[in-house]
Amino acid sequence: MLFARIIVFLSALLLTAALPLQPRASALNVAKCTNKSVKLIQHDCNVALLGLGGGIAGAIQFLRVNAQSTTAVSGTCRVTATAVDGGTTIDISKGRLEGHGSPNGGFENLLTACGPSPGSMVIGGGAKPQGNIQIAISAA
Ligand SMILES: *[C@@H]1O[C@H](CO)[C@@H](O)[C@H](O)[C@H]1NC(C)=O
């Protein structure tokens, strides 16, 4: 009887150890271009980016959205930011979102790699309570 209980206890221990404590982290700054022959207008994508979360143009320095995902469309282009890797809401600075060639990833790195054509990339950080932000461009 005691032996059986020890077996049950050890099995439970093994199962617990096998479950990941945190979701698997995405690779950062890796562009996934889905179809480079689709030509979007870069200015449309820039305007869509600044339309996220009700608008982050001008002096606004953060994209803060109390949802897992936010989308904006302008002309030919749709831009979506999604909290991934355990993230449930979005809280990212505009500088980090844009990226500017950062090894952490960013919208501008995605544009440089894909196009402007449809694709996605994960940017390090910027999600709550933890996690990263996936930025995606698609045809509107
Ligand atoms: C890529 O986009 C082009 C232009 O819209 C389209 O003709 C082609 O079928 C697409 N390829 C794939 C694999 O979806």
Side-chain angles (χ1 to χ4, degrees):
M1 231 22 218
L2 178 63
F3 183 65
R5 290 181 73 157
I6 288 171
I7 293 295
V8 167
F9 175 73
L10 286 177
S11 305
L13 206 66
L14 279 172
L15 280 174
T16 307
L19 291 171
L21 293 176
Q22 305 226 325
R24 194 180 65 83
S26 300
L28 308 181
N29 197 31
V30 177
K32 291 178 187 158
C33 308
T34 48
N35 188 342
K36 281 196 168 182
S37 62
V38 176
K39 305 294 184 199
L40 306 173
I41 297 171
Q42 182 154 340
H43 182 257
D44 290 345
C45 300
N46 293 339
V47 172
L49 180 81
L50 295 179
L52 290 176
I56 54 168
I60 298 171
Q61 290 303 313
F62 281 87
L63 173 64
R64 292 192 172 114
V65 182
N66 192 21
Q68 190 160 15
S69 186
T70 180
T71 296
V73 171
S74 178
T76 59
C77 196
R78 169 181 286 105
V79 173
T80 302
T82 306
V84 296
D85 300 327
T88 55
T89 64
I90 299 166
D91 188 347
I92 187 169
S93 74
K94 191 155 69 177
R96 183 173 277 237
L97 183 67
E98 290 176 340
H100 296 294
S102 163
N104 194 49
F107 173 79
E108 291 179 10
N109 296 8
L110 176 60
L111 274 181
T112 300
C114 296
S117 70
S120 67
M121 172 180 281
V122 175
I123 304 166
K128 286 183 169 178
Q130 64 180 44
N132 304 310
I133 296 296
Q134 182 192 62
I135 189 84
I137 291 172
S138 59

